Amino acid sequence: MQTSAMLNQLGYTPNDTLVEQFHRIKQNTNGYDKIEKHIMDLNDSLKPIGGYVAMSNSNDFLKIKVEAANQALKEEAFEKIDHFAKKFKVELQKVDGKDTFYIIGFGKEL
């Protein structure tokens, strides 16, 4: 998928700065090409329950944020994230004290 299409799907309006950041994210994410479609599918499945995939402002990784309206939706989002990580062997890094995960890359050994 082209970078501008990915940015659009994540809710960004592509510009040179965002395109450059997204290229760095792709380079930093091990096996990105193998999980790209699954990341977009995860984003689509999280949107209705208060979660989403976005570019991190502080690290060159994509992040998964959960901002669910209640505990039941939050737990549903966490289940979807866990299923995504296990099914597609994606390594995630939890951000301490936040309902946020960095997508580190493909190849997690389960």
Side-chain angles (χ1 to χ4, degrees):
M1 187 178 278
Q2 290 201 351
T3 299
S4 59
M6 291 287 295
L7 288 169
N8 282 325
Q9 193 167 348
L10 293 174
Y12 296 96
T13 301
N15 63 40
D16 290 344
T17 302
L18 291 176
V19 168
E20 288 175 23
Q21 182 183 4
F22 200 79
H23 282 298
R24 289 192 309 272
I25 288 169
K26 286 167 57 172
Q27 289 175 337
N28 282 345
T29 305
N30 182 45
Y32 176 82
D33 56 322
K34 295 176 180 155
I35 58 174
E36 176 181 68
K37 179 195 178 311
H38 306 302
I39 292 169
M40 293 301 105
D41 291 343
L42 175 66
N43 184 53
D44 292 342
S45 74
L46 289 175
K47 282 181 187 178
I49 56 174
Y52 57 92
V53 176
M55 294 192 302
S56 171
N57 294 327
S58 55
N59 294 297
D60 284 331
F61 289 106
L62 290 174
K63 64 183 177 182
I64 305 167
K65 286 199 63 124
V66 177
E67 297 177 341
N70 60 53
Q71 189 61 33
L73 290 175
K74 186 183 286 192
E75 288 174 16
E76 183 180 347
F78 289 147
E79 287 174 14
K80 287 179 183 280
I81 293 165
D82 186 58
H83 176 75
F84 160 79
K86 287 179 179 173
K87 182 174 182 176
F88 301 112
K89 296 181 171 88
V90 175
E91 182 180 357
L92 301 177
Q93 179 183 26
K94 173 95 169 68
V95 177
D96 290 336
K98 296 184 179 183
D99 294 330
T100 303
F101 303 84
Y102 290 120
I103 299 173
I104 304 301
F106 174 77
K108 180 179 178 183
E109 292 299 321
L110 300 174

